[in-house]
Amino acid sequence: MLRLLPLLATAAAVWPAPKSISLSGASVKVQPGGAAFFKLNGTSPLLEAAFERYAGLVFPHRAASDGAALASLAVRVADVAERAPQLGDDESYALSIGATAATLEAATVWGALRGLETFSQLVSFDFDAGSYEAAAGAVEDAPRFPHRGLMIDTGRHFQPLASIFEVVDALPYAKINVLHWHVVDAQSFPFESTSMPELWRGAFSPRERYTQADVADVVERARLRGVRVIPEFDMPGHADSWCVGRPDLCPSETCASPLDVSKAATFDAISGLLDELAGGLFPDGFVHLGGDEVNTACWESTPSVAAWLKARNLTADGGYAHFVKTVADLAIAKKRRPVQWSEVWDHFKTDLPKDVVVHVWKSVTNVADVVAAGYDVIRNVGYDATSWYQTRSRTSFERRLSRLYRYLDNLNVNSSAVYGNEPCDGIPADLCAAHVLGGHGEM
């Protein structure tokens, strides 16, 4: 992926803004040296691969050998152990660029990756002189939130592997550390399931699918960049595509979604799918189970499901509660924390297992109540929507809309207002620090 170096490296060039940055105003001549420019105090295949990548990103142009003072970056990492990244990993680092030496210190390989990105942003190429220079100074940095994500949706819009790889490659440029992969939706089921091979008959076409080897490649590419991959299999709604290969999981041929809450086979199938996800394919500690926009009309209009609900003295909403709590418990039993959209909280509040992470995308969800009840939150929504339609100004409406959502397909939204969204709005500082894990940009 093409990435341009800054014309002049300044504090503003470091993105996102670090915890602390102090630049002297001086610049240091840099002599590029390929991957060998980076000197590690140990052995790490992950960082050695990162040095190869960053050599190309930092030094894309040929430069004359002119005896520049800075010929290497010393990378000192306390713990070079490698594994899959997880929530709460230490991503802190300290970077110092002086007249004759530069050092990057980090507790973990993940912090070293973030520091390499910052170093790359502080190096610029002087086209007139044909040489590189770096801004002298020091950066100390650690993320404010441990969970910083971007969602891609391959269930509604198939994306070739090459496209997903490009997204993964770009995430570290903004120190984003989560790829939220909304794998399937009502429109298609492109994922290869070994426990239910019939399911990917619901793909857009036989060629618009992902094998498990494809998935493993995405996850490994992300790991090498310090990016967690969280899969989402939305249920019980948004599940029409499941019915193409497994019609028995759906209420009827004419009323496909939500998935059939009345059948043990439905939960057996979900349990088998979760076994695949948690069995090594997705090593992250989270699994997203959706739960949003559930229209229970199919349950009420399908005699067998309606009879099942009646026999248990359940309303359709009670069936919805049974479903989302059952699948959350299945995930927890497989040592995965379930993430569910805000409607699940809005309906069932503290009936949910405390391990559930509430993913808030709706302004009607009272985030302060969620965190006060002790639940962790991923937040995509900020300001209250009650005054949307009280404004007569289109500009004001767009500003309010952009504050409300980080949905990247809202192309009419001004990005500056989106970036101004504050995840702790309306939440006491201590509860925000304890329970707001971070947020996402959603596509």
Side-chain angles (χ1 to χ4, degrees), residues 81-412:
E82 294 186 16
R83 50 174 174 72
Q86 297 289 342
L87 178 74
D89 284 336
D90 188 337
E91 297 176 84
S92 64
Y93 65 90
L95 174 67
S96 175
I97 302 174
T100 59
T103 59
L104 168 60
E105 297 185 349
T108 68
V109 294
W110 317 120
L113 288 174
R114 307 304 171 230
L116 286 172
E117 176 58 35
T118 293
F119 178 77
S120 77
Q121 295 172 3
L122 289 172
V123 175
S124 57
F125 185 71
D126 184 333
F127 282 88
D128 293 324
S131 61
Y132 288 95
E133 59 184 34
V139 178
E140 290 192 9
D141 199 10
R144 182 181 170 204
F145 296 99
H147 184 114
R148 309 175 304 280
L150 177 81
M151 183 178 84
I152 58 171
D153 181 351
T154 59
R156 292 186 179 93
H157 310 280
F158 181 81
Q159 296 183 44
L161 275 178
S163 176
I164 298 176
F165 289 160
E166 283 198 346
V167 171
V168 170
D169 291 353
L171 296 180
Y173 301 161
K175 302 186 177 78
I176 292 173
N177 68 349
V178 174
L179 178 69
H180 170 190
W181 189 353
H182 187 93
V183 184
V184 307
D185 209 283
Q187 291 80 1
S188 78
F189 196 110
F191 173 79
E192 178 188 24
S193 167
T194 54
S195 64
M196 294 179 287
E198 312 90 348
L199 280 176
W200 70 352
R201 294 177 190 167
F204 283 123
S205 75
R207 290 192 292 181
E208 292 170 296
R209 295 171 170 177
Y210 306 107
T211 68
Q212 292 211 350
D214 294 336
V215 171
D217 286 345
V218 172
V219 171
E220 176 60 9
R221 195 180 188 102
R223 185 190 73 85
L224 291 172
R225 290 154 179 79
V227 174
R228 302 160 52 204
V229 181
I230 299 176
E232 180 183 355
F233 287 76
D234 204 348
M235 58 182 83
H238 291 262
D240 301 52
S241 62
W242 297 53
C243 309
V244 177
R246 286 291 302 272
D248 59 305
L249 302 182
C250 302
S252 70
E253 291 183 5
T254 57
C255 213
S257 186
L259 295 172
D260 194 334
V261 67
S262 71
K263 291 180 179 175
T266 302
F267 298 102
D268 289 343
I270 293 167
S271 180
L273 183 62
L274 289 174
D275 282 336
E276 294 180 52
L277 306 184
L281 194 58
F282 290 97
D284 192 74
F286 285 12
V287 61
H288 206 305
L289 301 175
D292 63 315
E293 299 179 327
V294 177
N295 182 343
T296 57
C298 278
W299 289 349
E300 296 173 296
S301 65
T302 301
S304 60
V305 182
W308 183 89
L309 292 169
K310 184 177 180 182
R312 286 155 183 79
N313 198 29
L314 290 175
T315 62
D317 203 55
Y320 177 23
H322 171 77
F323 193 105
V324 297
K325 286 191 283 186
T326 299
V327 297
D329 285 337
L330 285 172
I332 292 167
K334 300 175 195 302
K335 298 183 173 17
R336 291 294 182 269
R337 286 193 72 183
V339 185
Q340 294 175 308
W341 292 108
S342 50
E343 287 96 326
V344 176
W345 164 267
D346 295 337
H347 276 76
F348 312 119
K349 303 278 191 292
T350 55
D351 286 344
L352 297 173
K354 273 292 169 60
D355 282 341
V356 168
V357 177
V358 181
H359 194 164
V360 178
W361 74 283
K362 301 189 76 172
S363 59
V364 296
T365 303
N366 189 324
V367 184
D369 285 349
V370 182
V371 297
Y375 290 85
D376 288 344
V377 164
I378 299 168
R379 194 173 190 186
N380 294 353
V381 60
Y383 291 60
D384 190 355
T386 54
S387 58
W388 276 17
Y389 301 107
Q390 295 172 7
T391 177
R392 297 178 183 274
S393 165
R394 176 176 173 81
T395 301
S396 177
F397 172 83
E398 289 177 350
R399 183 167 60 252
R400 292 177 187 277
L401 186 65
S402 64
R403 291 273 179 169
L404 276 160
Y405 294 103
R406 292 191 183 96
Y407 276 79
L408 306 180
D409 46 332
N410 289 341
L411 299 181
N412 62 321

